[in-house]
Amino acid sequence: MSQKPSLTGDKIAIIEEFETGINTFYDGHTIRSVVVGTSDFDKINRIAKINQIRTPAVPQVNDLVIGNVSALMNNMFAVAILYINGKPTHSGLECICQAKGAKKRIIARVSDIVMVKIISHLNGAIHATISEPELGVLFTQCNKCAGKVVTIGGNVKCVDCGYIEERKISSKFGNSDFIKLGSK
């Protein structure tokens, strides 16, 4: 028997029939859904709940994240999360990566593809690090002409214009298979 999913705010039951359970709330008149999911009624205990269909992918501590640098700040940068442990995500979440020594050197630029490791969830933000050897920039382009770059030590050099710029290069730089890189 297929059941139509309940949307957020949909009426599930009335308080005279059931009590609120997981993913439900009482609005003063009826029991309503908090999430998109299927209704589940415990008729013995008289509790209505919603089984959520899909939960957003949130990286946990020690997860490897591959993403796109979306903003640069003084000693940190924001990464739009694209993959968590090799699995694509469309959650729209970002993490903040501390970049110690960023004032002295360029760690990453906006639009670089980077691999970072999640270190904490603090004050509603996801925090990451880029300090381990396999972490860092996986793909970048020349900052002057957008040409292809190759690594020279801890720098990248444009093969078109010869411009050299510093980056925190991952030991896996240049490997285009980002999905396998992030899987544990």
Side-chain angles (χ1 to χ4, degrees), residues 40-54:
D40 185 11
F41 300 103
D42 179 349
K43 292 180 181 177
I44 294 169
N45 297 315
R46 300 173 46 88
I47 295 174
K49 70 176 186 175
I50 300 293
N51 296 319
Q52 191 169 6
I53 291 177
R54 196 171 178 186

PDB file of all heavy atoms in Angstrom, residues 40-54:
ATOM      1  N   ASP A  40       3.072   7.892  10.301  1.00  0.00           N
ATOM      2  CA  ASP A  40       3.152   6.614  10.996  1.00  0.00           C
ATOM      3  C   ASP A  40       2.372   6.771  12.296  1.00  0.00           C
ATOM      4  O   ASP A  40       2.674   7.651  13.101  1.00  0.00           O
ATOM      5  CB  ASP A  40       4.617   6.261  11.268  1.00  0.00           C
ATOM      6  CG  ASP A  40       4.787   4.880  11.872  1.00  0.00           C
ATOM      7  OD1 ASP A  40       3.819   4.102  11.899  1.00  0.00           O
ATOM      8  OD2 ASP A  40       5.911   4.576  12.323  1.00  0.00           O
ATOM      9  N   PHE A  41       1.363   5.932  12.475  1.00  0.00           N
ATOM     10  CA  PHE A  41       0.496   6.042  13.644  1.00  0.00           C
ATOM     11  C   PHE A  41       0.682   4.825  14.543  1.00  0.00           C
ATOM     12  O   PHE A  41       0.465   3.696  14.114  1.00  0.00           O
ATOM     13  CB  PHE A  41      -0.979   6.147  13.222  1.00  0.00           C
ATOM     14  CG  PHE A  41      -1.241   7.352  12.365  1.00  0.00           C
ATOM     15  CD1 PHE A  41      -1.386   7.231  10.998  1.00  0.00           C
ATOM     16  CD2 PHE A  41      -1.350   8.616  12.935  1.00  0.00           C
ATOM     17  CE1 PHE A  41      -1.631   8.345  10.204  1.00  0.00           C
ATOM     18  CE2 PHE A  41      -1.602   9.726  12.150  1.00  0.00           C
ATOM     19  CZ  PHE A  41      -1.732   9.593  10.785  1.00  0.00           C
ATOM     20  N   ASP A  42       1.084   5.072  15.784  1.00  0.00           N
ATOM     21  CA  ASP A  42       1.174   4.026  16.800  1.00  0.00           C
ATOM     22  C   ASP A  42      -0.184   3.992  17.492  1.00  0.00           C
ATOM     23  O   ASP A  42      -0.476   4.818  18.369  1.00  0.00           O
ATOM     24  CB  ASP A  42       2.303   4.355  17.782  1.00  0.00           C
ATOM     25  CG  ASP A  42       2.452   3.325  18.884  1.00  0.00           C
ATOM     26  OD1 ASP A  42       1.567   2.454  19.024  1.00  0.00           O
ATOM     27  OD2 ASP A  42       3.467   3.404  19.608  1.00  0.00           O
ATOM     28  N   LYS A  43      -1.020   3.031  17.093  1.00  0.00           N
ATOM     29  CA  LYS A  43      -2.393   2.985  17.590  1.00  0.00           C
ATOM     30  C   LYS A  43      -2.480   2.470  19.025  1.00  0.00           C
ATOM     31  O   LYS A  43      -3.446   2.760  19.721  1.00  0.00           O
ATOM     32  CB  LYS A  43      -3.256   2.143  16.654  1.00  0.00           C
ATOM     33  CG  LYS A  43      -3.428   2.815  15.305  1.00  0.00           C
ATOM     34  CD  LYS A  43      -4.263   2.013  14.352  1.00  0.00           C
ATOM     35  CE  LYS A  43      -4.334   2.765  13.027  1.00  0.00           C
ATOM     36  NZ  LYS A  43      -5.051   2.051  12.011  1.00  0.00           N
ATOM     37  N   ILE A  44      -1.466   1.759  19.479  1.00  0.00           N
ATOM     38  CA  ILE A  44      -1.458   1.260  20.858  1.00  0.00           C
ATOM     39  C   ILE A  44      -1.162   2.405  21.827  1.00  0.00           C
ATOM     40  O   ILE A  44      -1.870   2.611  22.807  1.00  0.00           O
ATOM     41  CB  ILE A  44      -0.437   0.119  21.021  1.00  0.00           C
ATOM     42  CG1 ILE A  44      -0.883  -1.091  20.182  1.00  0.00           C
ATOM     43  CG2 ILE A  44      -0.277  -0.270  22.487  1.00  0.00           C
ATOM     44  CD1 ILE A  44       0.150  -2.170  20.053  1.00  0.00           C
ATOM     45  N   ASN A  45      -0.075   3.174  21.526  1.00  0.00           N
ATOM     46  CA  ASN A  45       0.316   4.294  22.390  1.00  0.00           C
ATOM     47  C   ASN A  45      -0.328   5.611  21.973  1.00  0.00           C
ATOM     48  O   ASN A  45      -0.103   6.631  22.622  1.00  0.00           O
ATOM     49  CB  ASN A  45       1.835   4.441  22.426  1.00  0.00           C
ATOM     50  CG  ASN A  45       2.496   3.229  23.033  1.00  0.00           C
ATOM     51  OD1 ASN A  45       2.069   2.719  24.063  1.00  0.00           O
ATOM     52  ND2 ASN A  45       3.539   2.734  22.376  1.00  0.00           N
ATOM     53  N   ARG A  46      -1.041   5.592  20.856  1.00  0.00           N
ATOM     54  CA  ARG A  46      -1.773   6.759  20.340  1.00  0.00           C
ATOM     55  C   ARG A  46      -0.831   7.941  20.061  1.00  0.00           C
ATOM     56  O   ARG A  46      -1.049   9.051  20.521  1.00  0.00           O
ATOM     57  CB  ARG A  46      -2.909   7.143  21.279  1.00  0.00           C
ATOM     58  CG  ARG A  46      -3.924   6.012  21.472  1.00  0.00           C
ATOM     59  CD  ARG A  46      -4.983   6.280  22.515  1.00  0.00           C
ATOM     60  NE  ARG A  46      -5.605   7.574  22.450  1.00  0.00           N
ATOM     61  CZ  ARG A  46      -6.673   7.881  21.712  1.00  0.00           C
ATOM     62  NH1 ARG A  46      -7.227   6.968  20.964  1.00  0.00           N
ATOM     63  NH2 ARG A  46      -7.179   9.096  21.733  1.00  0.00           N
ATOM     64  N   ILE A  47       0.228   7.652  19.292  1.00  0.00           N
ATOM     65  CA  ILE A  47       1.207   8.688  18.940  1.00  0.00           C
ATOM     66  C   ILE A  47       1.305   8.762  17.418  1.00  0.00           C
ATOM     67  O   ILE A  47       1.458   7.745  16.736  1.00  0.00           O
ATOM     68  CB  ILE A  47       2.587   8.373  19.557  1.00  0.00           C
ATOM     69  CG1 ILE A  47       2.495   8.426  21.078  1.00  0.00           C
ATOM     70  CG2 ILE A  47       3.639   9.350  19.043  1.00  0.00           C
ATOM     71  CD1 ILE A  47       3.749   8.005  21.794  1.00  0.00           C
ATOM     72  N   ALA A  48       1.240   9.975  16.889  1.00  0.00           N
ATOM     73  CA  ALA A  48       1.413  10.211  15.457  1.00  0.00           C
ATOM     74  C   ALA A  48       2.825  10.738  15.229  1.00  0.00           C
ATOM     75  O   ALA A  48       3.291  11.631  15.942  1.00  0.00           O
ATOM     76  CB  ALA A  48       0.394  11.230  14.966  1.00  0.00           C
ATOM     77  N   LYS A  49       3.507  10.188  14.238  1.00  0.00           N
ATOM     78  CA  LYS A  49       4.851  10.672  13.902  1.00  0.00           C
ATOM     79  C   LYS A  49       5.021  10.660  12.392  1.00  0.00           C
ATOM     80  O   LYS A  49       4.221  10.076  11.664  1.00  0.00           O
ATOM     81  CB  LYS A  49       5.936   9.842  14.583  1.00  0.00           C
ATOM     82  CG  LYS A  49       6.091   8.430  14.057  1.00  0.00           C
ATOM     83  CD  LYS A  49       7.253   7.728  14.729  1.00  0.00           C
ATOM     84  CE  LYS A  49       7.487   6.369  14.097  1.00  0.00           C
ATOM     85  NZ  LYS A  49       8.662   5.715  14.628  1.00  0.00           N
ATOM     86  N   ILE A  50       6.068  11.331  11.939  1.00  0.00           N
ATOM     87  CA  ILE A  50       6.390  11.385  10.514  1.00  0.00           C
ATOM     88  C   ILE A  50       7.776  10.779  10.316  1.00  0.00           C
ATOM     89  O   ILE A  50       8.740  11.170  10.983  1.00  0.00           O
ATOM     90  CB  ILE A  50       6.391  12.841   9.989  1.00  0.00           C
ATOM     91  CG1 ILE A  50       5.029  13.496  10.175  1.00  0.00           C
ATOM     92  CG2 ILE A  50       6.832  12.896   8.525  1.00  0.00           C
ATOM     93  CD1 ILE A  50       3.937  12.908   9.336  1.00  0.00           C
ATOM     94  N   ASN A  51       7.864   9.824   9.408  1.00  0.00           N
ATOM     95  CA  ASN A  51       9.162   9.261   9.018  1.00  0.00           C
ATOM     96  C   ASN A  51       9.694  10.115   7.880  1.00  0.00           C
ATOM     97  O   ASN A  51       9.147  10.108   6.780  1.00  0.00           O
ATOM     98  CB  ASN A  51       9.018   7.805   8.577  1.00  0.00           C
ATOM     99  CG  ASN A  51       8.546   6.920   9.714  1.00  0.00           C
ATOM    100  OD1 ASN A  51       8.983   7.060  10.844  1.00  0.00           O
ATOM    101  ND2 ASN A  51       7.625   6.017   9.414  1.00  0.00           N
ATOM    102  N   GLN A  52      10.756  10.860   8.171  1.00  0.00           N
ATOM    103  CA  GLN A  52      11.293  11.794   7.191  1.00  0.00           C
ATOM    104  C   GLN A  52      11.832  11.046   5.986  1.00  0.00           C
ATOM    105  O   GLN A  52      12.555  10.054   6.129  1.00  0.00           O
ATOM    106  CB  GLN A  52      12.397  12.642   7.827  1.00  0.00           C
ATOM    107  CG  GLN A  52      12.832  13.803   6.988  1.00  0.00           C
ATOM    108  CD  GLN A  52      13.723  14.766   7.756  1.00  0.00           C
ATOM    109  OE1 GLN A  52      14.104  14.527   8.881  1.00  0.00           O
ATOM    110  NE2 GLN A  52      14.055  15.860   7.122  1.00  0.00           N
ATOM    111  N   ILE A  53      11.481  11.514   4.801  1.00  0.00           N
ATOM    112  CA  ILE A  53      11.889  10.854   3.566  1.00  0.00           C
ATOM    113  C   ILE A  53      13.385  11.023   3.317  1.00  0.00           C
ATOM    114  O   ILE A  53      14.078  10.080   3.009  1.00  0.00           O
ATOM    115  CB  ILE A  53      11.075  11.388   2.365  1.00  0.00           C
ATOM    116  CG1 ILE A  53       9.631  10.935   2.490  1.00  0.00           C
ATOM    117  CG2 ILE A  53      11.674  10.915   1.046  1.00  0.00           C
ATOM    118  CD1 ILE A  53       8.715  11.441   1.410  1.00  0.00           C
ATOM    119  N   ARG A  54      13.860  12.232   3.492  1.00  0.00           N
ATOM    120  CA  ARG A  54      15.257  12.498   3.159  1.00  0.00           C
ATOM    121  C   ARG A  54      15.798  13.543   4.118  1.00  0.00           C
ATOM    122  O   ARG A  54      15.228  14.614   4.272  1.00  0.00           O
ATOM    123  CB  ARG A  54      15.328  13.024   1.738  1.00  0.00           C
ATOM    124  CG  ARG A  54      16.663  12.999   1.128  1.00  0.00           C
ATOM    125  CD  ARG A  54      16.506  13.333  -0.335  1.00  0.00           C
ATOM    126  NE  ARG A  54      17.802  13.359  -0.969  1.00  0.00           N
ATOM    127  CZ  ARG A  54      18.008  13.726  -2.185  1.00  0.00           C
ATOM    128  NH1 ARG A  54      17.006  14.120  -2.916  1.00  0.00           N
ATOM    129  NH2 ARG A  54      19.215  13.726  -2.696  1.00  0.00           N
TER     130      ARG A  54
END
